[in-house]
Amino acid sequence: MTYSIAALTGIALLTAGPVLAEAEINSDTSRKLLGFGWLFTDDIFGDNADRWRTGSVALSWILGREWDRNLPTAFGELLEIRVDISAISPEDIADPAPDDRDYAGILEIGVHTHFSRNSLDYSIGAGVVATGPQTGIAHLQTIFHEAIGSTPVSDSLMDNQVKNDFYPVIVAEAAREYDLSPAVMLRPFAEARIGDESLARIGVDMTIGSVGRSELLVRDKTTGHRYRAMSTGPTGFSFVAGADVAYVVDSVYLPDSGDMGLERDRYRVRGGGMWQGERASLFYGLTYLGREFSGQSHGQVVGSLNFKMRF
């Protein structure tokens, strides 16, 4: 497990409460904090292997004037401050194979706006990605692995990480919802990303149930799961599923030739369940991630978790 990612998740959750409380105190301002969402993803919740897309945390703070369970029509009216922390590693972090991918610590910070026009939902954002040892993710992972007696990141892997750098990023998504019945919703989408990885993606999400409907859900970049940034809907349970395929133009994490050459087509298939009670909520989902480079022998399964509790 990527224990550094777990620690950063805990820090973020501990600070979220005071931030929300401050937003309520300052509710007379024109723009306030409307919600907070997070998603923790790790392969220990999936195929229980510490490799490749080994762990990530997505954090979202939603800012706006009000939320009436409908997206605004104006660009910039509803804003999301998003932080993504992730680690990519070779299959063996102690003695990586020469044809395996390099270790990468990734920190992304961005601002996104969500709005709806002509029956289409849009999410458009820009930010910056920091990579390499400067993120401190490999170092944190090593500290926690050593503390619990697990395999630390090897010195050779530390010395051969994806280099320190910064990359501007632009992300845009357009989607449309189709109600197949009162309980079933289908949502095809198209996405484009330019920056540390440049790609175009098409896919579809499905929700069966009432939880997650008429709420603001934002997409996790690792798995494609849409997690709840504002829990304003009814109690109950929903099953969610989705799949997408991307054409990858380039990636700073993989060369475009040789044993580690990137795979142009990238597939994801996911499913999970959302539960909302009177004072608590829970999400758990699994995602199959297809091969990302030519030296990768097969895909992997990661698990994603979110829970909230009101006191």
Side-chain angles (χ1 to χ4, degrees):
M1 177 179 180
T2 310
Y3 293 93
S4 57
I5 298 295
L8 291 168
T9 302
I11 293 169
L13 294 178
L14 287 173
T15 59
V19 170
L20 286 169
E22 182 180 352
E24 291 178 359
I25 293 172
N26 298 326
S27 60
D28 58 336
T29 60
S30 60
R31 194 183 296 274
K32 59 186 177 182
L33 186 62
L34 298 176
F36 170 74
W38 61 277
L39 190 71
F40 175 38
T41 298
D42 201 291
D43 44 16
I44 197 170
F45 300 141
D47 55 21
N48 197 26
D50 195 5
R51 60 185 176 180
W52 304 323
R53 295 278 178 173
T54 180
S56 68
V57 178
L59 306 163
S60 297
W61 291 264
I62 307 301
L63 304 174
R65 292 174 176 83
E66 63 177 356
W67 174 250
D68 61 1
R69 300 181 66 182
N70 292 290
L71 287 175
T73 58
F75 178 96
E77 181 72 16
L78 191 69
L79 297 178
E80 175 199 356
I81 309 300
R82 186 182 302 176
V83 176
D84 281 289
I85 306 160
S86 57
I88 299 175
S89 71
E91 188 168 11
D92 187 340
I93 61 174
D95 185 22
D99 61 346
D100 210 336
R101 68 187 305 165
D102 294 333
Y103 188 98
I106 306 163
L107 173 62
E108 180 175 347
I109 301 175
V111 179
H112 301 249
T113 181
H114 302 269
F115 60 99
S116 181
R117 290 181 185 173
N118 301 320
S119 300
L120 287 176
D121 296 341
Y122 295 94
S123 174
I124 299 175
V128 62
V129 167
T131 62
Q134 65 184 346
T135 65
I137 293 173
H139 183 62
L140 283 172
Q141 183 177 357
T142 295
I143 291 174
F144 279 93
H145 277 211
E146 289 177 341
I148 65 166
S150 183
T151 303
V153 178
S154 67
D155 291 339
S156 62
L157 200 59
M158 282 278 201
D159 295 337
N160 291 283
Q161 297 183 54
V162 170
K163 66 178 182 179
N164 285 339
D165 216 330
F166 294 93
Y167 302 92
V169 174
I170 298 174
V171 185
E173 178 183 311
R176 183 166 184 172
E177 295 186 355
Y178 294 92
D179 291 321
L180 304 184
S181 75
V184 181
M185 183 268 289
L186 205 64
R187 189 175 187 272
F189 71 93
E191 177 188 34
R193 178 182 179 92
I194 299 174
D196 58 332
E197 293 193 300
S198 297
L199 55 85
R201 173 179 280 125
I202 57 171
V204 64
D205 298 296
M206 180 179 67
T207 302
I208 302 174
S210 59
V211 179
R213 304 283 296 273
S214 301
E215 299 184 56
L216 180 61
L217 283 78
V218 297
R219 192 176 302 281
D220 173 53
K221 74 172 186 178
T222 299
T223 64
H225 276 299
R226 299 174 68 229
Y227 59 93
R228 303 163 73 196
M230 285 188 286
S231 302
T232 57
T235 60
F237 178 84
S238 285
F239 172 76
V240 295
D244 55 60
V245 57
Y247 179 79
V248 184
V249 178
D250 57 54
S251 171
V252 302
Y253 312 115
L254 293 165
D256 57 8
S257 63
D259 291 336
M260 287 188 294
L262 65 86
E263 293 283 347
R264 295 294 181 185
D265 298 325
R266 189 178 294 180
Y267 302 92
R268 303 186 300 197
V269 181
R270 54 191 170 271
M274 295 180 180
W275 171 78
Q276 176 66 53
E278 292 293 340
R279 293 185 173 273
S281 64
L282 176 68
F283 170 81
Y284 176 73
L286 291 171
T287 306
Y288 171 78
L289 304 174
R291 296 195 316 152
E292 295 189 6
F293 62 102
S294 55
Q296 186 175 347
S297 56
H298 51 80
Q300 67 180 123
V301 177
V302 297
S304 300
L305 179 68
N306 166 278
F307 62 88
K308 292 183 180 180
M309 184 170 292
R310 286 203 321 265
F311 296 97

